[in-house]
């Protein structure tokens, strides 16, 4: 545990050159809002109340809201207004799904059924094949009954979602106080907000430390059983530390399902002042989309509660253009605040002159639809053991087979005869990432997970996440990559992160690594600059840990509470 101030400058290979530094500043510092334009044939505004959706009543407004959306599409209406208040959105199939999950009809891990390719689900607001529309929802709460995808934006462009709070009548997690801890079990008391019963599904339980007002460092998974021992008191058979007494148990009733907001095959999307309080899955998922701006987004618990979404607050895959966060807040979700990446394709065989590829990630793609390149895209051929790039290929033809979870590709040159020893990744679908002025408060796992290129994380605060605050990583096991490049992390406050689940290489503040069978210790990540950050560890091993990278500059950071402020591991270069 040492360290007062760390102002040393660490260089790996050569200093970040001025050309790189200023080109990325210019690239990401322009106002992204400028690219968005609304161009409808009319400037008219309609209200959902015109279609029978009335706030603050007891009736289901889902059909009426979607009728309004269809009217806007057919008549090229520019703005759809929601009068302030609460709207209920429900569907019998969504309610049945929720009940089946809660009753263990989907097994102890419902993700294995409900988070699979093309699993059927219900949409709340269906925004598909729509252009040039702003949804105005200041002071509006969308309350969902049954598990569904609250807002679906697909094959659309120039969409603004302004305002809106998303929550569930019966949240997809339960919160109760730990009132007794035995040697093999513990008891949790719940108030009437969460009706509980014996044999409830609970794949994971997180624990909120009410004394320190943050998550305890580690959750538990798949307790042996649970039983109602008196009204609103569950006995759960699993071991927890005595220090968890009087903590709030956060019982997740799912891992992944559909996100609260889906952005799929869509472009030029603004989410402004949107709040997500709960979701049986992620908060926002973007897949194969282009230019996404989030301003004032909040993924945070409902007032008086401790938990928000069951998994990631936001997640972006195979996107282009930019992903931008401005003045956003994330707290108490069940996984990363954001993860931006593409997928490593496995090469499984050949059909004539084409190669059969598939995404073999443990849980498929995060949108649970086929991921594929388009003709003309650039793919990197990657050594599957080291994740180092061997060469680039250009896609000349694409055949997709969604139900077989396969894509057949041809390239401008042949692959090596031992193609099974390689992976492919589409570097034409890597968005730039800019996070500015954001606040990430205690939650499970990492704050920011970077697997893209041209990145700035600046002027933000990351506080008491259980995992490393910022992770730059290529992850072969998850089939997520590629190696990152041109990354600036500057002027951030990172406080007491890396205490437990999700900690990378013992690092509190920033970790750079490669996860594969024989991970390369250089050359996977390139052109990294970490400067002017304040990192305060809590009995941490490292403040900043780097491996698998080249051309890294670390300077002018203040690091305390870490045994080793900065560690760079680079040993596979020729001597």
């Amino acid at each position: 545990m040492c360290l007062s101030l760390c102002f040393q400058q660490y260089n790996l290979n050569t200093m970040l050159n001025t050309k790189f530094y200023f080109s990325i500043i210019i690239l990401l510092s322009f106002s992204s809002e400028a690219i968005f334009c609304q161009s409808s044939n009319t400037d008219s505004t309609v209200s959902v109340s015109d279609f029978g959706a009335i706030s603050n009543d007891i009736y289901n407004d889902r059909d009426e809201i979607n009728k309004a959306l269809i009217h806007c599409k057919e008549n090229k209406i520019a703005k759809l207004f929601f009068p302030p208040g609460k709207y209920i959105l429900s569907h019998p199939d969504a309610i049945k799904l929720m009940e089946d999950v809660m009753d263990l009809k989907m097994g102890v891990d419902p993700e294995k059924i409900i988070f699979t390719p093309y699993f059927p689900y219900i949409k709340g607001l269906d925004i598909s094949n729509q252009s040039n529309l702003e949804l105005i929802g200041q002071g509006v709460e969308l309350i969902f009954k049954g598990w569904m995808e609250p807002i679906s934006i697909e094959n659309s462009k120039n969409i603004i979602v302004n305002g809106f709070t998303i929550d569930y009548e019966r949240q997809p997690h339960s919160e109760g106080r730990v009132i007794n801890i035995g040697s093999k079990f513990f008891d949790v008391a719940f108030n009437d907000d969460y009706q509980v019963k014996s044999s409830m599904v609970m794949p994971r339980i997180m624990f909120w430390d009410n004394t320190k007002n943050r998550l305890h460092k580690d959750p538990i998974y798949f307790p042996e059983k649970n039983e109602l021992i008196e009204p609103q008191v569950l006995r759960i058979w699993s071991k927890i530390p005595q220090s968890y007494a009087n903590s709030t148990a956060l019982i997740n009733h799912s891992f992944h399902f559909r996100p609260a907001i889906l952005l799929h095959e869509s472009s030029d999307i603004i989410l402004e002042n949107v709040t997500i309080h709960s979701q049986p899955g992620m908060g926002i998922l973007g897949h194969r989309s282009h230019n996404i701006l989030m301003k004032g987004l909040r993924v945070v618990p409902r007032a008086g509660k401790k938990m928000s979404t069951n998994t990631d607050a936001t997640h972006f895959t195979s996107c282009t253009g930019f992903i931008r966060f401005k003045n956003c807040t994330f707290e108490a979700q069940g996984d990363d605040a954001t993860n931006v990446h593409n997928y490593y394709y496995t090469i499984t065989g050949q059909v004539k002159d084409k190669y059969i590829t598939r995404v073999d990630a443990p849980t498929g793609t995060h949108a649970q639809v086929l991921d594929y390149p388009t003709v003309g895209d650039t793919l990197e051929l990657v050594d599957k053991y080291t994740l180092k790039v061997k060469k680039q290929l250009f896609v000349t033809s694409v055949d997709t087979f969604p139900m077989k979870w396969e894509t057949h590709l041809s390239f401008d040159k042949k692959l090596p005869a031992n193609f099974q020893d390689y992976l492919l990744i589409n570097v034409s679908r890597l968005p730039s990432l800019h996070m500015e002025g954001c606040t990430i408060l205690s939650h499970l796992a990492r704050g920011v997970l970077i697997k893209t290129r041209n990145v700035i994380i600046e002027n933000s605060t990351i506080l008491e996440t259980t995992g490393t605050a910022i992770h730059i990583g290529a992850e072969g096991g998850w089939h997520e990559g590629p190696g990152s490049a041109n990354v600036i992390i500057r002027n951030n406050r990172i406080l007491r992160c890396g205490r437990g689940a999700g900690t990378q290489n013992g690092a509190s503040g920033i970790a750079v690594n490669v996860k594969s069978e024989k991970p390369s210790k250089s050359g996977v990540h390139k052109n990294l600059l970490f400067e002017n950050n304040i990192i305060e560890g809590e009995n941490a091993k490292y403040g900043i840990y780097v491996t698998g990278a080249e051309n890294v500059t670390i300077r002018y950071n203040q690091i305390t509470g870490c045994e080793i402020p900065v560690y760079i591991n680079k040993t596979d270069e020729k001597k």
Side-chain angles (χ1 to χ4, degrees):
M1 286 199 42
C2 62
L3 204 75
S4 46
L5 297 177
C6 178
F7 288 122
Q8 300 97 313
Q9 178 166 307
Y10 295 78
N11 276 333
L12 204 55
N13 289 353
T14 59
M15 176 77 172
L16 264 177
N17 61 69
T18 304
K19 181 179 179 181
F20 153 67
Y21 185 83
F22 285 103
S23 65
I24 190 171
I25 298 301
I26 292 170
L27 174 67
L28 291 177
S29 294
F30 283 119
S31 174
S32 305
E33 295 94 318
I35 72 158
F36 295 96
C37 61
Q38 296 288 329
S39 56
S40 300
N41 289 345
T42 173
D43 292 329
S44 62
T45 299
V46 299
S47 171
V48 294
S49 62
D50 299 334
F51 299 83
I54 307 301
S55 63
N56 299 320
D57 63 13
I58 62 172
Y59 300 105
N60 180 11
D61 296 308
R62 178 178 170 274
D63 289 346
E64 288 72 20
I65 292 172
N66 281 298
K67 287 177 184 177
L69 286 166
I70 292 170
H71 175 82
C72 291
K73 178 165 54 178
E74 292 176 346
N75 294 277
K76 298 184 178 179
I77 302 297
K79 296 181 180 182
L80 179 61
F81 175 71
F82 290 66
K86 292 185 179 181
Y87 296 82
I88 296 171
L89 290 90
S90 181
H91 191 281
D93 292 349
I95 292 173
K96 185 178 187 303
L97 175 63
M98 177 184 70
E99 292 174 344
D100 286 350
V101 169
M102 297 293 285
D103 290 340
L104 285 174
K105 293 181 180 178
M106 301 290 190
V108 297
D109 185 3
E111 177 182 276
K112 293 181 178 179
I113 296 176
I114 67 175
F115 193 65
T116 53
Y118 303 103
F119 181 83
Y121 61 94
I122 300 300
K123 298 178 180 181
L125 278 63
D126 187 354
I127 305 168
S128 58
N129 302 298
Q130 185 85 267
S131 299
N132 307 318
L133 176 66
E134 180 177 4
L135 281 68
I136 303 171
Q138 296 295 336
V140 170
E141 293 182 72
L142 303 177
I143 306 299
F144 293 85
K145 292 184 177 181
W147 289 10
M148 63 179 78
E149 187 171 85
I151 299 178
S152 302
I153 302 175
E154 298 193 80
N155 300 296
S156 295
K157 61 183 179 180
N158 291 334
I159 304 295
I160 299 175
V161 179
N162 191 338
F164 298 97
T165 293
I166 294 171
D167 203 357
Y168 281 76
E169 182 182 66
R170 200 300 183 199
Q171 291 189 317
H173 67 272
S174 298
E175 301 186 13
R177 186 169 62 89
V178 177
I179 59 173
N180 178 46
I181 300 176
S183 60
K184 296 182 179 180
F185 62 83
F186 59 97
D187 299 333
V188 181
F190 301 84
N191 64 28
D192 291 338
D193 291 349
Y194 300 102
Q195 292 298 314
V196 297
K197 58 186 177 181
S198 295
S199 300
M200 283 178 57
V201 65
M202 48 180 69
R204 179 177 64 197
I205 306 175
M206 307 188 302
F207 296 88
W208 189 268
D209 184 336
N210 291 308
T211 301
K212 295 184 177 181
N213 198 33
R214 67 183 188 183
L215 276 179
H216 281 292
K217 65 176 186 176
D218 292 308
I220 62 171
Y221 294 88
F222 303 107
E224 180 183 345
K225 61 179 179 177
N226 62 85
E227 179 182 349
L228 196 68
I229 59 173
E230 58 182 87
Q232 291 297 97
V233 178
L234 275 179
R235 176 158 291 174
I236 300 170
W237 272 262
S238 186
K239 293 182 179 181
I240 62 172
Q242 286 292 330
S243 59
Y244 285 17
N246 295 313
S247 296
T248 300
L250 309 176
I251 299 175
N252 304 178
H253 300 306
S254 72
F255 294 121
H256 292 305
F257 175 54
R258 304 305 304 176
I261 301 176
L262 174 70
L263 311 173
H264 178 221
E265 299 279 4
S266 295
S267 62
D268 300 335
I269 307 297
I270 297 178
L271 304 175
E272 185 169 5
N273 299 325
V274 170
T275 297
I276 300 171
H277 284 323
S278 67
Q279 178 66 19
M282 297 180 178
I284 296 170
L285 173 64
H287 181 66
R288 288 183 56 84
S289 290
H290 177 78
N291 290 351
I292 300 166
L293 170 63
M294 290 151 287
K295 297 171 60 178
L297 169 69
R298 298 187 305 165
V299 181
V300 297
R302 180 196 295 175
K305 302 302 177 184
K306 304 296 186 184
M307 183 175 176
S308 57
T309 59
N310 285 17
T311 54
D312 306 47
T314 68
H315 201 115
F316 300 93
T317 58
S318 305
C319 291
T320 56
F322 64 77
I323 308 294
R324 186 177 183 195
F325 297 90
K326 187 174 182 179
N327 302 330
C328 300
T329 304
F330 308 97
E331 181 180 12
Q333 69 273 4
D335 213 323
D336 311 319
T338 197
N339 184 355
V340 182
H341 67 89
N342 208 319
Y343 296 101
Y344 287 116
Y345 297 153
T346 302
I347 310 162
T348 62
Q350 280 185 272
V351 178
K352 296 182 179 178
D353 62 337
K354 296 185 178 181
Y355 296 90
I356 304 170
T357 67
R358 56 185 291 124
V359 174
D360 280 336
T363 54
T365 66
H366 293 80
Q368 292 303 331
V369 297
L370 186 70
D371 185 68
Y372 57 92
T374 55
V375 171
D377 281 356
T378 300
L379 271 61
E380 289 179 346
L381 183 70
V382 177
D383 184 313
K384 68 186 294 185
Y385 304 106
T386 66
L387 298 188
K388 292 195 77 167
V389 176
K390 296 302 179 181
K391 62 179 177 181
Q392 289 190 335
L393 307 163
F394 296 98
V395 178
T396 57
S397 71
V398 179
D399 295 322
T400 59
F401 301 89
M403 294 303 106
K404 295 175 65 177
W405 205 245
E406 288 182 357
T407 304
H408 297 183
L409 306 175
S410 61
F411 305 102
D412 62 328
K413 55 181 74 75
K414 288 185 177 181
L415 299 187
N418 60 333
F419 57 75
Q420 296 88 349
D421 292 332
Y422 296 90
L423 301 169
L424 292 165
I425 194 160
N426 188 352
V427 294
S428 292
R429 301 200 69 87
L430 292 178
S432 66
L433 170 63
H434 189 186
M435 177 176 281
E436 177 187 8
C438 294
T439 302
I440 301 174
L441 303 174
S442 189
H443 67 82
L444 193 67
R446 298 153 290 193
V448 180
L449 182 48
I450 299 168
K451 301 165 191 167
T452 189
R453 296 170 185 173
N454 301 319
V455 176
I456 297 179
I457 309 295
E458 62 181 344
N459 303 320
S460 295
T461 296
I462 307 178
L463 174 68
E464 295 181 334
T465 59
T466 66
T468 301
I470 300 174
H471 177 199
I472 300 170
E475 297 187 307
W478 284 105
H479 288 250
E480 294 178 10
S484 297
N486 306 338
V487 178
I488 297 174
I489 299 173
R490 65 185 180 192
N491 303 332
N492 302 289
R493 291 181 75 227
I494 299 173
L495 307 177
R496 300 179 296 281
C497 297
R499 300 174 292 108
T503 300
Q504 305 294 311
N505 304 103
S508 174
I510 302 170
V512 181
N513 62 20
V514 178
K515 294 188 175 183
S516 61
E517 190 171 322
K518 297 178 181 178
S520 174
K521 295 195 171 54
S522 68
V524 175
H525 308 290
K526 300 177 181 180
N527 303 335
L528 313 178
L529 171 62
F530 310 148
E531 67 176 359
N532 293 327
N533 300 288
I534 297 171
I535 298 174
E536 178 187 310
E538 184 175 302
N539 302 317
K541 179 70 173 178
Y542 303 105
I544 298 173
Y545 180 100
V546 178
T547 187
E550 64 184 39
N551 197 19
V552 180
T553 300
I554 302 172
R555 63 190 182 194
Y556 317 137
N557 300 283
Q558 301 178 37
I559 303 176
T560 63
C562 302
E563 182 181 339
I564 301 171
V566 176
Y567 178 78
I568 297 176
N569 179 15
K570 181 175 182 285
T571 59
D572 67 346
E573 59 190 355
K574 294 181 179 179
K575 295 183 179 180

